[in-house]
């Protein structure tokens, strides 16, 4: 079986992390893989050690379409690749799978509707997204394939170094692209400002880079209880050093980073948006708050700061949940979809 993965993203975010995990897991199976990416893609660099044929191209429809030649199934991992897969299907009869990671409305145009209808499967990473697909068009064959935890490597020496940097602090961490409209880091900064004097031992750490970094840094001006790390490769070390993980997103598909935080037995706080409630069960393996509420975020943080036993219980339950969300399980689910697409 020859699978062509299409991911034309410019950067490396959650969708690219999941693409990498899938490719790595399938590389252990009897599957030939090609990866169609834009020139200079960080995803291609990260998969340089894997037995996958790299097919870099320009990020346009015709270039991506040409790069899908000679495969049995095309798997599109982001929006632009969907149309290249559709065109390959029209010209060669090649079936294609679409992974949909966002809970945005699908375009209303006739072309987009035909593209999604023709797909062998539309795999939604959360039931919330699958519901949106079904409401859009009941004739689309959709299913849910949850994201995987990343199995992040943790270096104890690096963890201790991070903890020494913030010695004596109770660390509240966030790992996400600095894209405030989606990820809501402004609420973390607002809480940090509110707790600056009353709880000086609580320190907030924002891990990641993105288009809003400068704006958010300006918003946090004057705060010595909040740090920006920029983009880092050792996310696992930071998660292991944190005492609490928060994800106050305004919108989210599945928030796979929550699985990585849970894998480190961290208590988590997340918003009731998208597929996040499918991961975080309120008062079971984490706490849920409403989106856009710095007040609720602050109250939840202080609740776990005060009740460390509750945090430990939530973290342990989260670890149990994340244990079953593996790349191997995700790859097995996609293998069954590829096989079904070929059979049909």
């Amino acid at each position: 079986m020859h699978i062509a993965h299409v991911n034309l993203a410019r950067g490396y975010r959650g969708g690219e992390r999941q693409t990498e995990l899938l490719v790595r897991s399938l590389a252990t199976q009897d599957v030939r893989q090609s990866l169609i990416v834009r020139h200079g893609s960080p995803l291609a660099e990260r998969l340089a050690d894997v037995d996958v044929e790299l097919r870099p191209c320009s990020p346009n429809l015709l270039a991506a379409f040409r790069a899908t030649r000679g495969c049995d199934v095309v798997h599109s991992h982001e929006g632009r690749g969907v149309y290249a897969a559709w065109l390959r299907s029209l010209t060669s009869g090649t079936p294609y799978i679409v992974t949909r990671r966002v809970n945005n409305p699908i375009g209303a145009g006739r072309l987009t509707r035909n593209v999604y209808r023709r797909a062998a499967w539309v795999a939604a990473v959360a039931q919330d997204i699958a519901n949106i697909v079904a409401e859009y068009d009941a004739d689309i064959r959709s299913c849910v394939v949850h994201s995987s935890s990343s199995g992040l490597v943790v270096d104890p020496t690096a963890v201790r170094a991070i903890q020494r940097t913030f010695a004596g602090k109770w660390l509240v961490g966030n790992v996400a692209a600095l894209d405030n409209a989606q990820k809501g880091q402004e609420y973390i900064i607002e809480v940090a400002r509110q707790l600056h004097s009353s709880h000086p031992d609580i320190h907030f750490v924002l891990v990641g880079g993105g288009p809003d970094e400068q704006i958010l840094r300006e918003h946090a001006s004057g705060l010595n209880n909040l740090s920006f790390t920029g983009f880092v490769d050792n996310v696992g070390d930071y998660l292991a050093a944190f005492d609490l993980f928060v994800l106050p997103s305004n919108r989210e598909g599945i928030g796979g980073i929550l699985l990585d935080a849970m894998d480190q037995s961290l208590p988590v706080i997340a918003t009731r948006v998208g597929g996040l409630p499918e991961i975080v069960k309120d008062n079971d393996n984490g706490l849920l708050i409403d989106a856009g509420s710095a007040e609720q975020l602050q109250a939840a943080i202080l609740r776990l700061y005060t009740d460390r036993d509750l945090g430990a219980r939530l973290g342990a339950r989260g670890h149990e949940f994340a244990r079953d969300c593996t790349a191997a399980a995700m790859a097995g689910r996609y293998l069954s979809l590829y096989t079904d697409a070929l059979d049909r």
Side-chain angles (χ1 to χ4, degrees):
M1 187 188 298
H2 181 185
I3 309 301
H5 301 278
V6 185
N7 191 317
L8 301 176
R10 183 186 303 275
Y12 184 88
R13 295 181 62 168
E16 289 65 60
R17 181 172 69 248
Q18 292 298 318
T19 304
E20 178 186 353
L21 290 169
L22 176 60
V23 171
R24 287 187 178 278
S25 189
L26 289 175
T28 66
Q29 310 288 326
D30 186 21
V31 178
R32 178 185 171 193
Q33 299 182 90
S34 296
L35 178 64
I36 299 159
V37 293
R38 67 166 66 208
H39 291 290
S41 163
L43 177 60
E45 294 176 9
R46 295 178 71 97
L47 285 168
D49 62 325
V50 177
D51 183 18
V52 57
E53 178 191 7
L54 295 178
R55 297 183 177 182
C57 66
S58 299
N60 61 63
L61 172 60
L62 290 179
F65 157 69
R66 287 193 293 266
T68 59
R69 65 191 181 281
C71 64
D72 298 315
V73 178
V74 178
H75 185 169
S76 172
H77 293 267
E78 46 76 47
R80 281 159 296 193
V82 174
Y83 296 92
W86 167 77
L87 192 55
R88 174 57 61 194
S89 177
L90 286 181
T91 57
S92 306
T94 306
Y96 60 98
I97 307 291
V98 176
T99 292
R100 189 159 179 88
R101 306 183 190 279
V102 296
N103 57 356
N104 303 335
I106 304 174
R110 180 179 297 178
L111 173 61
T112 299
R113 188 175 298 274
N114 288 338
V115 165
Y116 274 86
R117 275 187 172 181
R118 190 175 176 89
W121 285 101
V122 174
V125 299
Q127 186 60 53
D128 176 73
I129 298 173
N131 293 342
I132 291 172
V133 174
E135 291 169 7
Y136 172 74
D137 192 326
D139 290 333
I140 296 172
R141 289 178 292 275
S142 65
C143 62
V144 176
V145 180
H146 285 125
S147 295
S148 162
S149 61
S150 300
L152 295 172
V153 175
V154 174
D155 178 357
T157 302
V159 174
R160 288 192 293 269
I162 294 169
Q163 291 171 332
R164 283 195 300 271
T165 301
F166 304 104
K169 303 297 185 181
W170 194 72
L171 295 182
V172 178
N174 170 263
V175 179
L178 297 184
D179 179 355
N180 186 59
Q182 179 184 359
K183 300 296 185 178
Q185 284 98 347
E186 65 178 295
Y187 307 117
I188 300 174
I189 296 172
E190 186 173 338
V191 172
R193 196 170 295 283
Q194 291 296 321
L195 299 182
H196 183 263
S197 298
S198 62
H199 295 78
D201 59 330
I202 299 180
H203 195 91
F204 298 81
V205 182
L206 302 186
V207 177
D212 293 334
E213 181 169 355
Q214 186 59 39
I215 294 173
L216 290 169
R217 284 182 179 273
E218 292 172 1
H219 187 37
S221 177
L223 295 178
N224 60 13
N225 65 338
L226 186 145
S227 300
F228 292 85
T229 70
F231 181 84
V232 303
D233 284 320
N234 60 329
V235 169
D237 298 332
Y238 277 89
L239 290 175
F242 293 158
D243 296 291
L244 171 64
F245 186 85
V246 297
L247 191 68
S249 300
N250 293 311
R251 62 179 189 274
E252 198 72 65
I254 193 66
I257 189 64
L258 287 169
L259 296 172
D260 298 322
M262 289 176 166
D263 201 34
Q264 297 300 324
S265 299
L266 273 175
V268 301
I269 299 170
T271 45
R272 295 183 181 89
V273 297
L276 299 190
E278 296 176 40
I279 294 178
V280 181
K281 308 301 180 184
D282 194 30
N283 285 300
D284 176 24
N285 61 8
L287 299 179
L288 287 173
I289 61 173
D290 293 334
S293 176
E295 294 79 8
Q296 290 186 29
L297 178 60
Q298 178 175 320
I301 289 171
L302 290 179
R303 180 182 175 191
L304 293 174
Y305 171 79
T306 303
D307 191 345
R308 306 295 173 87
D309 288 340
L310 172 61
R313 289 197 299 273
L314 296 179
R317 288 286 291 161
H319 182 73
E320 291 177 11
F321 181 88
R323 190 170 52 199
D324 296 328
C325 300
T326 64
M330 178 176 65
R333 185 77 176 98
Y334 276 119
L335 270 174
S336 68
L337 295 184
Y338 301 152
T339 300
D340 178 78
L342 287 171
D343 287 346
R344 287 195 291 107

